[in-house]
Amino acid sequence: MDQELYSKERSASLDLLLRFQRLLVSKLYPADCVGQVPNTYSPDLLGVGSLLKKYTALLCTHISDILPVATSIASTSHRHFAEVSRVVDGDLTGILLPELVVSVVLLLSKNAGLMQEAGAIPLLAGLLEHLDRFNHLAPGKERDDNEDLAWPGIMGSFFTGQSCRNNEEVTLIRKADLENHNKDGGFWTVIDGKVYDIKDFQTQSLTGSSIL
């Protein structure tokens, strides 16, 4: 029901673009054809690929114009960022782009040769810098970057390019280790991706173990 309401709030032209985008993807999605020569594509298929490239170029041009302005306004304050994000989410950037990226990745996994012929992927790659600048303004970005990207075991420092020496200084505690320790009478807890031993605090606390 939420999706239907969201669809009604979109403009007719935006809805038409979304349908057109899905039509292009469906035409390029490979059917199970018997007897087709590998890496040979019909003129119709190449034509659809060329149309996808032109469509992607126009969409990327719009987004490249929108995002720098959005970034400039959003950098004013967290409140501005929230409002700008809401506007961008209802724009081509928030509606057409996410589905297009997923569709292109799907098509690439199914028929890499055809997608290379179409040439739409480099156009999307050109948006990464604009998107990265905007996303870096998100509140809590520093905290999210420093926290583990996966619980347990994968440290954020691995992805931020810090030295292995710093990574070795951090003891990694698996979820199973934490559960076993607590079953044996310990009291470890996880706050913001870090494990704390609050056993001593438990004995001093007036609130009781259940609240802790």
mmCIF file of all heavy atoms in Angstrom, residues 58-105:
data_model
loop_
_atom_site.group_PDB
_atom_site.id
_atom_site.type_symbol
_atom_site.label_atom_id
_atom_site.label_comp_id
_atom_site.label_asym_id
_atom_site.label_seq_id
_atom_site.Cartn_x
_atom_site.Cartn_y
_atom_site.Cartn_z
ATOM 1 N N LEU A 58 21.653 10.997 -20.871
ATOM 2 C CA LEU A 58 20.752 12.103 -20.511
ATOM 3 C C LEU A 58 20.472 12.109 -19.005
ATOM 4 O O LEU A 58 20.471 13.164 -18.367
ATOM 5 C CB LEU A 58 19.442 11.985 -21.287
ATOM 6 C CG LEU A 58 19.529 12.281 -22.792
ATOM 7 C CD1 LEU A 58 18.226 11.919 -23.492
ATOM 8 C CD2 LEU A 58 19.868 13.747 -23.025
ATOM 9 N N LEU A 59 20.239 10.916 -18.457
ATOM 10 C CA LEU A 59 19.967 10.811 -17.021
ATOM 11 C C LEU A 59 21.188 11.256 -16.210
ATOM 12 O O LEU A 59 21.061 12.007 -15.234
ATOM 13 C CB LEU A 59 19.599 9.373 -16.669
ATOM 14 C CG LEU A 59 19.266 9.080 -15.197
ATOM 15 C CD1 LEU A 59 18.060 9.896 -14.745
ATOM 16 C CD2 LEU A 59 19.010 7.593 -14.984
ATOM 17 N N CYS A 60 22.374 10.824 -16.623
ATOM 18 C CA CYS A 60 23.601 11.179 -15.902
ATOM 19 C C CYS A 60 23.892 12.673 -16.006
ATOM 20 O O CYS A 60 24.410 13.274 -15.058
ATOM 21 C CB CYS A 60 24.781 10.373 -16.447
ATOM 22 S SG CYS A 60 24.723 8.626 -16.005
ATOM 23 N N THR A 61 23.561 13.278 -17.143
ATOM 24 C CA THR A 61 23.746 14.720 -17.299
ATOM 25 C C THR A 61 22.869 15.480 -16.314
ATOM 26 O O THR A 61 23.309 16.431 -15.660
ATOM 27 C CB THR A 61 23.405 15.155 -18.738
ATOM 28 O OG1 THR A 61 24.283 14.489 -19.641
ATOM 29 C CG2 THR A 61 23.568 16.659 -18.909
ATOM 30 N N HIS A 62 21.619 15.040 -16.178
ATOM 31 C CA HIS A 62 20.700 15.669 -15.225
ATOM 32 C C HIS A 62 21.219 15.528 -13.803
ATOM 33 O O HIS A 62 21.257 16.500 -13.040
ATOM 34 C CB HIS A 62 19.319 15.035 -15.351
ATOM 35 C CG HIS A 62 18.381 15.422 -14.241
ATOM 36 N ND1 HIS A 62 17.699 16.614 -14.237
ATOM 37 C CD2 HIS A 62 18.038 14.777 -13.091
ATOM 38 C CE1 HIS A 62 16.971 16.695 -13.134
ATOM 39 N NE2 HIS A 62 17.154 15.585 -12.428
ATOM 40 N N ILE A 63 21.631 14.315 -13.444
ATOM 41 C CA ILE A 63 22.095 14.060 -12.078
ATOM 42 C C ILE A 63 23.384 14.823 -11.801
ATOM 43 O O ILE A 63 23.584 15.347 -10.697
ATOM 44 C CB ILE A 63 22.287 12.544 -11.860
ATOM 45 C CG1 ILE A 63 20.935 11.835 -11.964
ATOM 46 C CG2 ILE A 63 22.924 12.250 -10.501
ATOM 47 C CD1 ILE A 63 21.011 10.332 -11.950
ATOM 48 N N SER A 64 24.262 14.923 -12.793
ATOM 49 C CA SER A 64 25.512 15.674 -12.627
ATOM 50 C C SER A 64 25.250 17.160 -12.414
ATOM 51 O O SER A 64 26.055 17.856 -11.789
ATOM 52 C CB SER A 64 26.418 15.478 -13.848
ATOM 53 O OG SER A 64 26.800 14.131 -13.966
ATOM 54 N N ASP A 65 24.129 17.646 -12.936
ATOM 55 C CA ASP A 65 23.745 19.046 -12.708
ATOM 56 C C ASP A 65 23.100 19.227 -11.333
ATOM 57 O O ASP A 65 23.290 20.254 -10.673
ATOM 58 C CB ASP A 65 22.758 19.505 -13.794
ATOM 59 C CG ASP A 65 23.415 19.622 -15.156
ATOM 60 O OD1 ASP A 65 24.664 19.733 -15.204
ATOM 61 O OD2 ASP A 65 22.696 19.592 -16.168
ATOM 62 N N ILE A 66 22.321 18.228 -10.908
ATOM 63 C CA ILE A 66 21.563 18.327 -9.669
ATOM 64 C C ILE A 66 22.445 18.154 -8.432
ATOM 65 O O ILE A 66 22.363 18.929 -7.469
ATOM 66 C CB ILE A 66 20.429 17.277 -9.653
ATOM 67 C CG1 ILE A 66 19.341 17.645 -10.659
ATOM 68 C CG2 ILE A 66 19.833 17.116 -8.256
ATOM 69 C CD1 ILE A 66 18.537 18.860 -10.297
ATOM 70 N N LEU A 67 23.294 17.139 -8.432
ATOM 71 C CA LEU A 67 24.011 16.769 -7.218
ATOM 72 C C LEU A 67 24.973 17.839 -6.697
ATOM 73 O O LEU A 67 25.040 18.047 -5.482
ATOM 74 C CB LEU A 67 24.754 15.444 -7.423
ATOM 75 C CG LEU A 67 23.893 14.188 -7.276
ATOM 76 C CD1 LEU A 67 24.720 12.934 -7.495
ATOM 77 C CD2 LEU A 67 23.223 14.130 -5.911
ATOM 78 N N PRO A 68 25.740 18.538 -7.549
ATOM 79 C CA PRO A 68 26.599 19.594 -6.981
ATOM 80 C C PRO A 68 25.808 20.687 -6.274
ATOM 81 O O PRO A 68 26.232 21.189 -5.225
ATOM 82 C CB PRO A 68 27.328 20.142 -8.220
ATOM 83 C CG PRO A 68 27.333 19.015 -9.191
ATOM 84 C CD PRO A 68 26.023 18.321 -8.977
ATOM 85 N N VAL A 69 24.647 21.049 -6.828
ATOM 86 C CA VAL A 69 23.794 22.055 -6.181
ATOM 87 C C VAL A 69 23.249 21.496 -4.867
ATOM 88 O O VAL A 69 23.243 22.182 -3.835
ATOM 89 C CB VAL A 69 22.633 22.452 -7.119
ATOM 90 C CG1 VAL A 69 21.722 23.467 -6.433
ATOM 91 C CG2 VAL A 69 23.171 23.015 -8.420
ATOM 92 N N ALA A 70 22.810 20.236 -4.906
ATOM 93 C CA ALA A 70 22.294 19.600 -3.690
ATOM 94 C C ALA A 70 23.374 19.520 -2.611
ATOM 95 O O ALA A 70 23.120 19.779 -1.434
ATOM 96 C CB ALA A 70 21.777 18.199 -4.022
ATOM 97 N N THR A 71 24.593 19.201 -3.013
ATOM 98 C CA THR A 71 25.704 19.101 -2.059
ATOM 99 C C THR A 71 26.007 20.446 -1.441
ATOM 100 O O THR A 71 26.260 20.560 -0.231
ATOM 101 C CB THR A 71 26.960 18.552 -2.772
ATOM 102 O OG1 THR A 71 26.660 17.270 -3.329
ATOM 103 C CG2 THR A 71 28.123 18.415 -1.805
ATOM 104 N N SER A 72 25.962 21.495 -2.271
ATOM 105 C CA SER A 72 26.243 22.836 -1.780
ATOM 106 C C SER A 72 25.227 23.267 -0.725
ATOM 107 O O SER A 72 25.588 23.821 0.324
ATOM 108 C CB SER A 72 26.241 23.821 -2.947
ATOM 109 O OG SER A 72 26.426 25.138 -2.493
ATOM 110 N N ILE A 73 23.956 23.003 -0.971
ATOM 111 C CA ILE A 73 22.906 23.380 -0.014
ATOM 112 C C ILE A 73 22.963 22.489 1.231
ATOM 113 O O ILE A 73 22.840 22.967 2.361
ATOM 114 C CB ILE A 73 21.526 23.290 -0.680
ATOM 115 C CG1 ILE A 73 21.439 24.258 -1.865
ATOM 116 C CG2 ILE A 73 20.413 23.584 0.321
ATOM 117 C CD1 ILE A 73 20.199 24.097 -2.700
ATOM 118 N N ALA A 74 23.166 21.186 1.011
ATOM 119 C CA ALA A 74 23.148 20.230 2.121
ATOM 120 C C ALA A 74 24.303 20.435 3.091
ATOM 121 O O ALA A 74 24.209 20.057 4.259
ATOM 122 C CB ALA A 74 23.179 18.800 1.583
ATOM 123 N N SER A 75 25.378 21.051 2.628
ATOM 124 C CA SER A 75 26.548 21.250 3.491
ATOM 125 C C SER A 75 26.315 22.332 4.550
ATOM 126 O O SER A 75 27.120 22.492 5.465
ATOM 127 C CB SER A 75 27.772 21.613 2.644
ATOM 128 O OG SER A 75 27.552 22.842 1.960
ATOM 129 N N THR A 76 25.202 23.063 4.437
ATOM 130 C CA THR A 76 24.907 24.141 5.386
ATOM 131 C C THR A 76 24.665 23.617 6.789
ATOM 132 O O THR A 76 25.208 24.135 7.761
ATOM 133 C CB THR A 76 23.684 24.939 4.909
ATOM 134 O OG1 THR A 76 23.874 25.338 3.545
ATOM 135 C CG2 THR A 76 23.467 26.176 5.759
ATOM 136 N N SER A 77 23.842 22.561 6.905
ATOM 137 C CA SER A 77 23.527 21.999 8.222
ATOM 138 C C SER A 77 22.902 20.630 8.034
ATOM 139 O O SER A 77 22.529 20.246 6.921
ATOM 140 C CB SER A 77 22.562 22.903 8.997
ATOM 141 O OG SER A 77 21.284 22.899 8.374
ATOM 142 N N HIS A 78 22.763 19.886 9.143
ATOM 143 C CA HIS A 78 22.124 18.577 9.085
ATOM 144 C C HIS A 78 20.665 18.704 8.660
ATOM 145 O O HIS A 78 20.130 17.832 7.967
ATOM 146 C CB HIS A 78 22.201 17.878 10.443
ATOM 147 C CG HIS A 78 23.587 17.453 10.815
ATOM 148 N ND1 HIS A 78 24.579 17.242 9.873
ATOM 149 C CD2 HIS A 78 24.162 17.185 12.026
ATOM 150 C CE1 HIS A 78 25.694 16.860 10.478
ATOM 151 N NE2 HIS A 78 25.477 16.834 11.786
ATOM 152 N N ARG A 79 20.032 19.787 9.072
ATOM 153 C CA ARG A 79 18.625 19.994 8.698
ATOM 154 C C ARG A 79 18.508 20.217 7.193
ATOM 155 O O ARG A 79 17.589 19.685 6.552
ATOM 156 C CB ARG A 79 18.079 21.196 9.461
ATOM 157 C CG ARG A 79 16.596 21.441 9.240
ATOM 158 C CD ARG A 79 16.099 22.577 10.108
ATOM 159 N NE ARG A 79 14.692 22.838 9.890
ATOM 160 C CZ ARG A 79 14.007 23.776 10.517
ATOM 161 N NH1 ARG A 79 14.596 24.525 11.433
ATOM 162 N NH2 ARG A 79 12.727 23.972 10.252
ATOM 163 N N HIS A 80 19.442 20.997 6.649
ATOM 164 C CA HIS A 80 19.443 21.202 5.197
ATOM 165 C C HIS A 80 19.694 19.884 4.469
ATOM 166 O O HIS A 80 19.078 19.611 3.427
ATOM 167 C CB HIS A 80 20.517 22.217 4.807
ATOM 168 C CG HIS A 80 20.142 23.632 5.088
ATOM 169 N ND1 HIS A 80 20.224 24.186 6.357
ATOM 170 C CD2 HIS A 80 19.677 24.624 4.278
ATOM 171 C CE1 HIS A 80 19.827 25.448 6.305
ATOM 172 N NE2 HIS A 80 19.491 25.741 5.065
ATOM 173 N N PHE A 81 20.607 19.065 5.010
ATOM 174 C CA PHE A 81 20.902 17.778 4.373
ATOM 175 C C PHE A 81 19.650 16.895 4.331
ATOM 176 O O PHE A 81 19.353 16.270 3.314
ATOM 177 C CB PHE A 81 22.020 17.053 5.127
ATOM 178 C CG PHE A 81 22.341 15.701 4.556
ATOM 179 C CD1 PHE A 81 23.213 15.567 3.492
ATOM 180 C CD2 PHE A 81 21.746 14.552 5.083
ATOM 181 C CE1 PHE A 81 23.501 14.321 2.954
ATOM 182 C CE2 PHE A 81 22.031 13.304 4.541
ATOM 183 C CZ PHE A 81 22.909 13.195 3.483
ATOM 184 N N ALA A 82 18.906 16.863 5.438
ATOM 185 C CA ALA A 82 17.702 16.034 5.500
ATOM 186 C C ALA A 82 16.662 16.491 4.485
ATOM 187 O O ALA A 82 16.027 15.677 3.803
ATOM 188 C CB ALA A 82 17.119 16.070 6.913
ATOM 189 N N GLU A 83 16.503 17.817 4.365
ATOM 190 C CA GLU A 83 15.508 18.345 3.433
ATOM 191 C C GLU A 83 15.924 18.111 1.982
ATOM 192 O O GLU A 83 15.118 17.707 1.142
ATOM 193 C CB GLU A 83 15.307 19.844 3.696
ATOM 194 C CG GLU A 83 14.151 20.459 2.933
ATOM 195 C CD GLU A 83 12.808 19.867 3.298
ATOM 196 O OE1 GLU A 83 12.657 19.348 4.421
ATOM 197 O OE2 GLU A 83 11.889 19.906 2.443
ATOM 198 N N VAL A 84 17.202 18.343 1.707
ATOM 199 C CA VAL A 84 17.711 18.123 0.345
ATOM 200 C C VAL A 84 17.609 16.640 -0.022
ATOM 201 O O VAL A 84 17.247 16.297 -1.156
ATOM 202 C CB VAL A 84 19.170 18.611 0.227
ATOM 203 C CG1 VAL A 84 19.792 18.148 -1.076
ATOM 204 C CG2 VAL A 84 19.224 20.132 0.303
ATOM 205 N N SER A 85 17.902 15.764 0.928
ATOM 206 C CA SER A 85 17.815 14.320 0.675
ATOM 207 C C SER A 85 16.391 13.918 0.308
ATOM 208 O O SER A 85 16.174 13.067 -0.559
ATOM 209 C CB SER A 85 18.277 13.533 1.902
ATOM 210 O OG SER A 85 19.628 13.784 2.178
ATOM 211 N N ARG A 86 15.435 14.535 0.987
ATOM 212 C CA ARG A 86 14.034 14.230 0.692
ATOM 213 C C ARG A 86 13.668 14.646 -0.727
ATOM 214 O O ARG A 86 12.970 13.919 -1.449
ATOM 215 C CB ARG A 86 13.120 14.948 1.696
ATOM 216 C CG ARG A 86 11.646 14.577 1.593
ATOM 217 C CD ARG A 86 10.790 15.435 2.507
ATOM 218 N NE ARG A 86 10.830 16.829 2.110
ATOM 219 C CZ ARG A 86 10.126 17.336 1.079
ATOM 220 N NH1 ARG A 86 9.346 16.544 0.363
ATOM 221 N NH2 ARG A 86 10.204 18.614 0.793
ATOM 222 N N VAL A 87 14.171 15.807 -1.151
ATOM 223 C CA VAL A 87 13.898 16.296 -2.511
ATOM 224 C C VAL A 87 14.577 15.395 -3.546
ATOM 225 O O VAL A 87 13.967 15.000 -4.547
ATOM 226 C CB VAL A 87 14.381 17.754 -2.660
ATOM 227 C CG1 VAL A 87 14.250 18.214 -4.102
ATOM 228 C CG2 VAL A 87 13.598 18.679 -1.733
ATOM 229 N N VAL A 88 15.836 15.070 -3.287
ATOM 230 C CA VAL A 88 16.590 14.233 -4.231
ATOM 231 C C VAL A 88 15.963 12.849 -4.343
ATOM 232 O O VAL A 88 15.926 12.249 -5.418
ATOM 233 C CB VAL A 88 18.066 14.127 -3.784
ATOM 234 C CG1 VAL A 88 18.811 13.055 -4.572
ATOM 235 C CG2 VAL A 88 18.763 15.473 -3.951
ATOM 236 N N ASP A 89 15.438 12.349 -3.231
ATOM 237 C CA ASP A 89 14.834 11.022 -3.222
ATOM 238 C C ASP A 89 13.608 10.947 -4.127
ATOM 239 O O ASP A 89 13.284 9.881 -4.661
ATOM 240 C CB ASP A 89 14.446 10.655 -1.780
ATOM 241 C CG ASP A 89 14.182 9.172 -1.620
ATOM 242 O OD1 ASP A 89 14.963 8.371 -2.172
ATOM 243 O OD2 ASP A 89 13.207 8.809 -0.947
ATOM 244 N N GLY A 90 12.921 12.064 -4.288
ATOM 245 C CA GLY A 90 11.748 12.083 -5.160
ATOM 246 C C GLY A 90 12.058 12.525 -6.575
ATOM 247 O O GLY A 90 11.181 12.580 -7.431
ATOM 248 N N ASP A 91 13.333 12.824 -6.823
ATOM 249 C CA ASP A 91 13.789 13.272 -8.140
ATOM 250 C C ASP A 91 14.217 12.054 -8.967
ATOM 251 O O ASP A 91 14.188 10.922 -8.494
ATOM 252 C CB ASP A 91 14.966 14.247 -7.925
ATOM 253 C CG ASP A 91 15.538 14.765 -9.232
ATOM 254 O OD1 ASP A 91 14.816 15.507 -9.917
ATOM 255 O OD2 ASP A 91 16.685 14.414 -9.556
ATOM 256 N N LEU A 92 14.643 12.306 -10.203
ATOM 257 C CA LEU A 92 15.182 11.232 -11.041
ATOM 258 C C LEU A 92 16.309 10.490 -10.330
ATOM 259 O O LEU A 92 16.465 9.278 -10.465
ATOM 260 C CB LEU A 92 15.715 11.809 -12.364
ATOM 261 C CG LEU A 92 14.740 12.592 -13.248
ATOM 262 C CD1 LEU A 92 15.464 13.136 -14.454
ATOM 263 C CD2 LEU A 92 13.593 11.712 -13.688
ATOM 264 N N THR A 93 17.090 11.242 -9.550
ATOM 265 C CA THR A 93 18.249 10.655 -8.874
ATOM 266 C C THR A 93 17.833 9.562 -7.909
ATOM 267 O O THR A 93 18.497 8.523 -7.807
ATOM 268 C CB THR A 93 19.016 11.745 -8.101
ATOM 269 O OG1 THR A 93 19.237 12.857 -8.966
ATOM 270 C CG2 THR A 93 20.342 11.229 -7.587
ATOM 271 N N GLY A 94 16.745 9.771 -7.183
ATOM 272 C CA GLY A 94 16.326 8.803 -6.175
ATOM 273 C C GLY A 94 15.403 7.721 -6.685
ATOM 274 O O GLY A 94 15.235 6.689 -6.037
ATOM 275 N N ILE A 95 14.800 7.936 -7.838
ATOM 276 C CA ILE A 95 13.817 6.971 -8.357
ATOM 277 C C ILE A 95 14.380 6.150 -9.512
ATOM 278 O O ILE A 95 14.319 4.919 -9.511
ATOM 279 C CB ILE A 95 12.527 7.701 -8.796
ATOM 280 C CG1 ILE A 95 11.854 8.335 -7.574
ATOM 281 C CG2 ILE A 95 11.567 6.743 -9.494
ATOM 282 C CD1 ILE A 95 10.655 9.197 -7.902
ATOM 283 N N LEU A 96 14.945 6.819 -10.498
ATOM 284 C CA LEU A 96 15.421 6.109 -11.686
ATOM 285 C C LEU A 96 16.809 5.513 -11.498
ATOM 286 O O LEU A 96 17.083 4.397 -11.939
ATOM 287 C CB LEU A 96 15.441 7.060 -12.895
ATOM 288 C CG LEU A 96 14.096 7.666 -13.308
ATOM 289 C CD1 LEU A 96 14.280 8.561 -14.516
ATOM 290 C CD2 LEU A 96 13.084 6.579 -13.604
ATOM 291 N N LEU A 97 17.717 6.264 -10.847
ATOM 292 C CA LEU A 97 19.113 5.829 -10.779
ATOM 293 C C LEU A 97 19.312 4.510 -10.031
ATOM 294 O O LEU A 97 20.002 3.626 -10.540
ATOM 295 C CB LEU A 97 19.968 6.938 -10.158
ATOM 296 C CG LEU A 97 21.469 6.623 -10.053
ATOM 297 C CD1 LEU A 97 22.075 6.416 -11.431
ATOM 298 C CD2 LEU A 97 22.205 7.741 -9.311
ATOM 299 N N PRO A 98 18.744 4.322 -8.819
ATOM 300 C CA PRO A 98 19.002 3.063 -8.114
ATOM 301 C C PRO A 98 18.574 1.831 -8.915
ATOM 302 O O PRO A 98 19.302 0.845 -8.993
ATOM 303 C CB PRO A 98 18.177 3.199 -6.828
ATOM 304 C CG PRO A 98 18.029 4.667 -6.626
ATOM 305 C CD PRO A 98 17.932 5.250 -8.001
ATOM 306 N N GLU A 99 17.394 1.902 -9.522
ATOM 307 C CA GLU A 99 16.916 0.755 -10.287
ATOM 308 C C GLU A 99 17.756 0.547 -11.543
ATOM 309 O O GLU A 99 18.024 -0.593 -11.947
ATOM 310 C CB GLU A 99 15.444 0.952 -10.662
ATOM 311 C CG GLU A 99 14.826 -0.284 -11.297
ATOM 312 C CD GLU A 99 13.324 -0.172 -11.461
ATOM 313 O OE1 GLU A 99 12.637 0.197 -10.482
ATOM 314 O OE2 GLU A 99 12.840 -0.472 -12.567
ATOM 315 N N LEU A 100 18.207 1.636 -12.159
ATOM 316 C CA LEU A 100 19.042 1.519 -13.356
ATOM 317 C C LEU A 100 20.370 0.846 -13.036
ATOM 318 O O LEU A 100 20.841 -0.016 -13.784
ATOM 319 C CB LEU A 100 19.283 2.901 -13.971
ATOM 320 C CG LEU A 100 20.162 2.921 -15.230
ATOM 321 C CD1 LEU A 100 19.511 2.124 -16.360
ATOM 322 C CD2 LEU A 100 20.430 4.351 -15.678
ATOM 323 N N VAL A 101 20.979 1.240 -11.913
ATOM 324 C CA VAL A 101 22.268 0.648 -11.527
ATOM 325 C C VAL A 101 22.112 -0.851 -11.283
ATOM 326 O O VAL A 101 22.915 -1.658 -11.780
ATOM 327 C CB VAL A 101 22.824 1.345 -10.265
ATOM 328 C CG1 VAL A 101 24.017 0.583 -9.714
ATOM 329 C CG2 VAL A 101 23.218 2.778 -10.587
ATOM 330 N N VAL A 102 21.078 -1.239 -10.543
ATOM 331 C CA VAL A 102 20.847 -2.663 -10.277
ATOM 332 C C VAL A 102 20.588 -3.411 -11.584
ATOM 333 O O VAL A 102 21.100 -4.521 -11.803
ATOM 334 C CB VAL A 102 19.656 -2.842 -9.305
ATOM 335 C CG1 VAL A 102 19.288 -4.313 -9.171
ATOM 336 C CG2 VAL A 102 19.997 -2.268 -7.945
ATOM 337 N N SER A 103 19.823 -2.818 -12.475
ATOM 338 C CA SER A 103 19.501 -3.466 -13.750
ATOM 339 C C SER A 103 20.747 -3.648 -14.614
ATOM 340 O O SER A 103 20.935 -4.699 -15.240
ATOM 341 C CB SER A 103 18.463 -2.626 -14.517
ATOM 342 O OG SER A 103 17.277 -2.507 -13.784
ATOM 343 N N VAL A 104 21.598 -2.626 -14.633
ATOM 344 C CA VAL A 104 22.824 -2.712 -15.441
ATOM 345 C C VAL A 104 23.755 -3.792 -14.888
ATOM 346 O O VAL A 104 24.366 -4.550 -15.649
ATOM 347 C CB VAL A 104 23.537 -1.337 -15.486
ATOM 348 C CG1 VAL A 104 24.954 -1.472 -16.024
ATOM 349 C CG2 VAL A 104 22.751 -0.374 -16.364
ATOM 350 N N VAL A 105 23.856 -3.874 -13.563
ATOM 351 C CA VAL A 105 24.688 -4.929 -12.955
ATOM 352 C C VAL A 105 24.126 -6.308 -13.311
ATOM 353 O O VAL A 105 24.874 -7.239 -13.635
ATOM 354 C CB VAL A 105 24.750 -4.751 -11.424
ATOM 355 C CG1 VAL A 105 25.414 -5.953 -10.768
ATOM 356 C CG2 VAL A 105 25.523 -3.486 -11.076
#
